[in-house]
Amino acid sequence: MKTQSQTRPNLVRLKDLAPRTGSALKAGPFGSAIKKEDYVSAGYKIYGQEQVIKGDAFWGDYWIDETKFLQLKSCAVNPGDLLVSLVGTIGKVLVIPSDAPEGVINPRLLRIRVNHEVVIPSYLKHVLEAESTVRLLKRWSQGGTMDVLNAEILGQLSVPLPSLAAQKYLIDVMHEWDTAIQKTEQLVAAKHQHYSHELSHLISRDLHPHGHVGTIAEEVSARNRGGNEARVLSVTNSRGFVLPEDQFERRVASADLSNYKIVRRGQYAYNPSRINVGSIARLNGWDDGVLSPMYVVFRLDDAKIDSDYFLHWLNSHEARQRIKNSAQGSVRETVSFSEFAALMIPLPDTVTQTDTARYLNALREEIDLLSQSVAALKTQKRGLMQKLLTGQWQLPVQEEAS
């Protein structure tokens, strides 16, 4: 064995990586080629977007018989083929494993088949999922509201092509990174489950007296009449308060903000039409801002309720279910403040509230730190992948001596 250093790899167009016979890229059949009446309970698998998105060739349960399979044989998959979706999922790639069921791709997929003597399929998967590749393909894609690819676009993609030994080395390095990410994500999931259990045990149990939300909260309807507040905010169900331009990549607010509602640090706000999916939050990141007039803004009575305790209650299954039930009872599935104020909340004494909140805060902080670790690992992986693909970082590669 001898050790060589990886040099900047050659670039080869994807369409030129074809096997000795046939082309590298094959689009799925026409949309009318597979109809519902062609489905059978068992036979040959129909591969579609759901397998690519989930990264699981065994997911799904759509099949065709042998007659239909033979008609669509040109769209059949082999072990080592790579499948990509043509619509809306750039960056998702599935490599067909050796034990996957025989089958064909549906009209929404494109099959990539390469010469295994020059490129390893799992290496090519990493290239196609790399951040720089995804950005490039999104620029090239054709579509309005969704990114749309085709064989011609993908065929022109330049693929860094180091030696097979270097490809194997990169695959091994990425596997170690993926393993670290997966284990950390599993730990996050376990911590989330523990938090939910403790949340239910400490807040949602029937041992505490209950009271209406309206006894500890009041609506705030201050308007931006003087136009002094210019920071327009939105409330999401995943990130809480955000700037609209961060959420929608553009500012989506009226030019006249005088009728917008003012929200201040520590106050809560929700979208009446989306509170049933979790669009309610406390303002923590800014001192103040303004919200569209459709939002409901309210504040808590600090003498009666610990704000952190209330925030944890909002995360509980009990609170979410009560909010959903309230929305379902409305004609438009919205929740006004009077309806929200009528919800029941467990209300132990304030000392118990504060002690409970501190404990649950510690659990949430641990989850947040682990989630940050996952994000950091993914960022490091993307950066590492880019440097390895371009040859910016030299890696020792074991090759057989000639």
Side-chain angles (χ1 to χ4, degrees), residues 169-318:
Y169 198 108
L170 186 143
I171 291 168
D172 290 341
V173 171
M174 290 299 104
H175 176 71
E176 291 182 9
W177 230 261
D178 288 336
T179 299
I181 291 171
Q182 182 183 30
K183 287 183 177 179
T184 310
E185 287 179 332
Q186 290 172 345
L187 184 56
V188 170
K191 296 294 184 181
H192 267 296
Q193 186 174 11
H194 178 62
Y195 168 76
S196 297
H197 176 269
E198 293 295 277
L199 185 63
S200 176
H201 175 69
L202 294 172
I203 291 184
S204 300
R205 59 183 177 179
D206 295 331
L207 297 179
H208 299 314
H210 283 60
H212 292 288
V213 170
T215 63
I216 49 91
E218 64 174 340
E219 187 173 9
V220 178
S221 298
R223 305 282 173 162
N224 190 34
R225 297 303 185 196
N228 297 322
E229 301 292 344
R231 183 186 295 110
V232 179
L233 300 172
S234 295
V235 179
T236 70
N237 61 354
S238 58
R239 297 164 56 198
F241 278 91
V242 297
L243 297 169
E245 50 266 37
D246 292 341
Q247 179 76 0
F248 305 106
E249 298 184 351
R250 61 187 177 91
R251 184 181 170 96
V252 286
S254 170
D256 180 8
L257 303 180
S258 62
N259 198 39
Y260 274 48
K261 293 182 178 179
I262 298 174
V263 58
R264 304 196 185 282
R265 184 185 293 273
Q267 293 180 347
Y268 290 76
Y270 68 85
N271 182 335
S273 299
R274 291 186 55 78
I275 187 176
N276 60 328
V277 293
S279 292
I280 180 171
R282 183 178 65 189
L283 182 60
N284 296 325
W286 296 274
D287 287 333
D288 45 45
V290 293
L291 293 160
S292 165
M294 71 176 179
Y295 280 92
V296 171
V297 180
F298 65 93
R299 64 187 171 209
L300 301 178
D301 184 340
D302 294 336
K304 297 179 180 179
I305 185 79
D306 182 291
S307 186
D308 285 351
Y309 174 88
F310 182 81
L311 194 60
H312 286 297
W313 173 74
L314 286 176
N315 287 326
S316 70
H317 174 75
E318 174 188 292

